[in-house]
């Protein structure tokens, strides 16, 4: 037994011989908000894929709440309490935000529950509370296709929360957002961090500074270093592979 | 917003809409049974009653296509298979009437004993069960194997065609088992002591078709409303998202595919008895594609659209092929092109988006101004509007 909510031991994932992740070790405390950064191709998305069951580990184990996730399907892992937000907003475009949230909120996700189930009063209340939190009460009953990019991002985060997961995996939540929207999403994540464990993958360093307490830097499929934002920023390896490039880019 | 306050009103409204819908369906059923056939007979077009009955049977398979393709986004180009399975089941029963004798065609091939799989079809209850259950089970097995391996889109469509060809060759080649390419005739058989081709029996099949079509509509309506319906649309919009939300899409896809195959079976049985024969030709690839065209013309993801599309396309087909036998295929091709390019939502989709505005223009001579929905919803804009009207009424 361990007190970690998520533990990754000696993980290697290879695709036809190409190792996207090499000997990665990682652990997360319950209630922790962790930001994972790393240059393109560092294996960040594969890392999330492996946790959520989209990709199976070649070597090593992923342990969530003391249970090995090997061999479990995506929906089984999701039911255990892992929610995932994709890089681009992935919401059901032909449903309204309320309907989308209700689908996520539903506790009975088998056939019987879907065919005969109706949203309970408690679920309805959760959904309208969530709509309020993500600021979409006014647009609760229009098609999600009509929402703006930022609203879709918030809706997807809302759908994650509706699942009431213990661990949230959030992949680049602020890509393509305006500064104002970025801040809103940041506040939302900070609020969620009070009751969930969260892993955020991000490129935007401003945003990382806003939310990060602990940062993990991935590089070529392994953990390069771990620490607070200040520690990470002063680490010579990190400056070399990641921040260094960005400084050059900013100078140019 | 206080949700407890809105809930009862919501339910009450929903119930009222359901009642209105039920009443409309009932009116159509009564029209189809008591008015339209008599009208057709009175203008000397009695044979069109039979055509209408057949097309209404086809509308049942269109409903099936609509729930799997329109709602769930899975294109099946092999529904002719399930249609044929239903049709053959009933045809085999009729061949064995009145007292389970060996059907005539067997003597042509020197078969003297009834093949074993024919035996249970001498029972009517079994036949009715089989006409629905066999296609359903075949679809469930096929669907499970395919969906479990996450085969989707074009690959699934090709697989359904492959399955169709396999069954076509099976039925076409097995003369000693199922009379091969000649098919099974049903109009010379007797049912309940009457010839199946007689006017009285045909009329009862017509009424049965209308009633079952209404039943199929109710079933599809139930499947596509509520939580399951939303889930189906969610699977169409973004299947991985559904999976990461904790639902297993495979189960739902198998369920809908099987249900749609069951409907195709019912349709096949009703169509067969009203056409008087079933041959392996219903497993022609073109026929299965036609079914998809009916739904596309009527409007994807609209149940009324599926029925309407089937009737419009088929009556157009019968009128045009009477007048100009050679142009029908060109017309069908053109129709499909028009729908894909100009009316992506089909007839019903067009009515929903433009039809309402046009009718409003016709009635009142005034066109509704459309704005962005976000503007319509914005409380600030709403307030300003209210303010403006107040000022106007004050001044």
């Amino acid at each position: 037994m361990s007190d970690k909510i998520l533990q990754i031991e000696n993980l290697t994932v290879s695709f036809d011989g190409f190792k996207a992740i090499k000997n990665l070790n990682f652990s997360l405390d319950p209630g922790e908000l962790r930001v994972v950064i790393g240059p393109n191709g560092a294996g960040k998305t594969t890392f999330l894929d492996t946790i959520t069951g989209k990709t199976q580990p070649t070597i090593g184990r992923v342990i969530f709440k003391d249970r090995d996730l090997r061999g479990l399907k995506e929906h089984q892992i999701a039911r255990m309490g892992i929610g995932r937000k994709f890089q681009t907003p992935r919401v059901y475009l032909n449903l309204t935000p309320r309907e989308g949230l209700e689908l996520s909120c539903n506790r009975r996700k088998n056939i019987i529950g879907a065919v005969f189930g109706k949203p309970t009063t408690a679920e309805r209340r959760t959904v309208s509370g969530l709509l309020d939190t993500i600021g979409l009460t006014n647009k609760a009953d229009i098609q999600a296709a009509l929402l703006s990019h930022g609203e879709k991002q918030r809706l997807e985060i809302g759908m994650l929360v509706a699942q009431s997961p213990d661990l949230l995996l959030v992949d680049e939540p602020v890509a393509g957002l305006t500064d104002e929207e970025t801040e809103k999403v940041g506040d939302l994540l900070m609020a969620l961090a009070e009751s969930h464990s969260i892993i955020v993958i991000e490129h935007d360093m401003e945003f990382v500074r806003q939310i990060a307490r602990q940062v993990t830097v991935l590089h070529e499929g392994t953990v390069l270093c771990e620490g607070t934002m200040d520690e990470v920023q002063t680490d010579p390896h990190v400056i070399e592979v990641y921040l260094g490039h960005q400084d050059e880019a900013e100078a140019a | 917003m206080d949700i407890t306050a809105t809930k009862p009103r919501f339910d009450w409204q929903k119930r009222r809409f359901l009642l209105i819908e039920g009443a409309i369906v009932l009116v159509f059923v009564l029209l189809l049974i008591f008015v339209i056939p008599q009208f057709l007979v009175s203008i000397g077009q009695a044979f069109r009653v039979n055509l209408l009955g057949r097309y209404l049977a086809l509308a049942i398979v269109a409903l099936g296509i609509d729930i799997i393709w329109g709602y769930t986004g899975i294109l099946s180009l092999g529904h002719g298979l399930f249609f044929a399975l239903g049709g053959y089941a009933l045809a085999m029963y009729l061949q064995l009437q009145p007292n389970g004798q060996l059907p005539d065609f067997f003597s042509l091939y020197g078969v003297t004993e009834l093949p074993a799989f024919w035996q249970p079809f001498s029972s009517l209850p079994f036949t009715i069960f089989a006409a629905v259950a066999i296609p359903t089970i075949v679809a469930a097995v096929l669907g499970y194997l395919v969906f479990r391996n996450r085969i989707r889109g074009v690959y699934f469509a090709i697989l359904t065609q492959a399955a169709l060809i396999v069954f076509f060759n099976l039925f076409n080649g097995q003369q000693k088992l199922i009379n091969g390419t000649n098919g099974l005739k049903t109009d010379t058989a007797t049912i309940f002591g009457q010839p199946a081709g007689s006017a009285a029996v045909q009329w009862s099949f017509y009424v049965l078709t209308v009633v079952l079509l209404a039943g199929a509509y109710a079933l599809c309506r139930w499947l596509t409303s509520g939580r399951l319906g939303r889930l189906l649309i969610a699977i169409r919009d973004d299947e991985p998202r559904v999976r990461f939300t904790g639902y297993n899409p495979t189960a739902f896809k198998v369920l809908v595919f099987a249900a749609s195959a069951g409907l195709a079976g019912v349709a096949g049985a009703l169509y067969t008895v009203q056409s008087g024969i079933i041959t392996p030709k219903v497993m022609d690839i073109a026929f299965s594609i036609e079914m998809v065209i009916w739904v596309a013309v009527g409007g994807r993801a609209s149940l009324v659209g599926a029925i309407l599309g089937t009737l419009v396309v088929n009556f157009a087909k019968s009128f045009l092929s009477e007048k100009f036998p050679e142009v029908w295929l060109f017309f069908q091709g053109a129709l499909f092109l028009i729908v894909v390019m100009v009316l992506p939502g089909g007839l019903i989709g067009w009515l929903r988006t433009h039809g309402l505005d046009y009718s409003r223009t016709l009635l009142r001579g005034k066109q509704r101004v459309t704005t962005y929905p976000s503007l319509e919803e914005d409380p600030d804009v709403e307030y300003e509007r209210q303010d403006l009207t107040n000022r106007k009424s004050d001044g």
Side-chain angles (χ1 to χ4, degrees), chain B residues 27 81 116 119 124 157 190 215 219 225 230 319 339 364 373 388:
Chain B
V27 167
L81 162 58
Q119 303 282 3
L124 183 61
T190 48
L219 174 77
S225 59
R230 271 174 251 142
F319 280 120
V339 166
R364 288 195 225 145
L388 273 177

Side-chain angles (χ1 to χ4, degrees), chain A residues 67-81:
Chain A
R67 200 168 153 198
D68 192 344
L69 297 185
R70 183 180 285 276
L72 293 180
K73 293 267 168 54
E74 291 101 316
H75 66 273
Q76 293 166 319
I77 293 176
R79 285 185 203 172
M80 284 175 67

Side-chain angles (χ1 to χ4, degrees), chain B residues 69 72-77 146-147 150-161 239 253:
Chain B
W69 182 50
T72 323
I74 301 165
L75 178 59
S76 161
L77 296 177
V146 174
F147 297 138
R150 303 196 180 168
I151 294 167
R152 302 198 292 165
V154 178
Y155 303 100
F156 177 76
I158 292 171
L159 264 172
T160 54
Q161 294 227 313
E239 191 178 331
K253 286 159 82 172

Side-chain angles (χ1 to χ4, degrees), chain B residues 245-325:
Chain B
T245 309
Y247 293 96
N248 183 7
T250 308
F252 297 102
K253 286 159 82 172
V254 170
L255 174 79
V256 175
F257 190 51
S260 104
L263 287 174
V266 174
L270 290 170
Y271 186 80
T272 300
V273 286
Q274 294 181 83
S275 346
I277 188 166
I278 181 152
T279 67
K281 258 184 82 84
V282 295
M283 282 186 277
D284 212 12
I285 281 180
F287 185 54
S288 293
I289 294 176
E290 260 178 58
M291 295 176 186
V292 174
I293 296 181
W294 305 331
V295 177
V297 168
R300 288 180 67 175
S302 155
L303 297 177
V304 177
I307 299 174
L308 188 70
T310 310
L311 295 181
V312 167
V313 175
N314 280 297
F315 271 109
K317 179 180 180 172
S318 84
F319 280 120
L320 279 176
S321 43
E322 281 160 27
K323 299 276 184 306
F324 325 93

Side-chain angles (χ1 to χ4, degrees), chain B residues 94-154:
Chain B
L94 288 172
Q95 286 274 332
L96 290 173
Q97 291 310 304
N99 36 30
Q101 83 289 12
L102 192 69
D104 296 339
F105 73 86
F106 277 124
S107 58
L108 295 175
Y109 312 114
V111 179
T112 49
E113 205 173 315
L114 197 63
F117 75 97
W118 277 72
Q119 303 282 3
F121 286 96
S122 53
S123 137
L124 183 61
F126 174 83
T127 304
I128 292 172
F129 171 75
V132 183
I134 294 176
T136 307
I137 292 167
V138 170
V141 171
L142 184 71
Y144 177 71
L145 293 175
V146 174
F147 297 138
R148 194 192 52 167
N149 293 315
R150 303 196 180 168
I151 294 167
R152 302 198 292 165
V154 178

Side-chain angles (χ1 to χ4, degrees), chain A residues 52 54 73-75 78-79 84 86 90 92-95 98-99 102-104 106 109-111 113-119 121 123-125 128 138-139 142 146 156 160 163, chain B residues 1 3-4 7 10-11 14 148 150 222-223 226-231 233-249 251-252 255 373-374 377-379:
Chain A
T52 50
K54 195 178 169 198
K73 293 267 168 54
E74 291 101 316
H75 66 273
R79 285 185 203 172
R84 176 176 189 180
F86 291 91
R90 299 271 289 268
Y92 311 127
L93 296 177
N94 287 300
L95 296 180
R98 191 191 299 281
E99 290 168 341
E102 266 171 11
L103 276 186
S104 298
N106 173 25
K109 296 191 174 170
N110 51 14
I111 289 237
V115 176
F116 299 102
K118 285 206 166 70
T121 318
E123 279 171 11
R124 281 169 200 265
R125 212 170 277 139
S128 59
N138 283 335
K139 302 185 179 178
I142 63 171
L146 301 169
E156 196 184 3
L160 276 199
Q163 261 171 268
Chain B
M1 196 161 68
I3 193 75
T4 45
K7 191 190 158 203
F10 185 65
D11 274 2
K14 228 163 83 174
R148 194 192 52 167
R150 303 196 180 168
W222 177 67
L223 283 176
R227 194 172 267 166
L228 180 66
R230 271 174 251 142
L231 196 59
I233 293 174
I235 290 174
R236 185 184 73 192
D237 282 356
D238 197 335
E239 191 178 331
R241 176 78 264 171
V242 173
R243 209 173 266 140
F244 286 115
T245 309
Y247 293 96
N248 183 7
F252 297 102
L255 174 79
S374 56
E377 299 278 324
D378 196 329

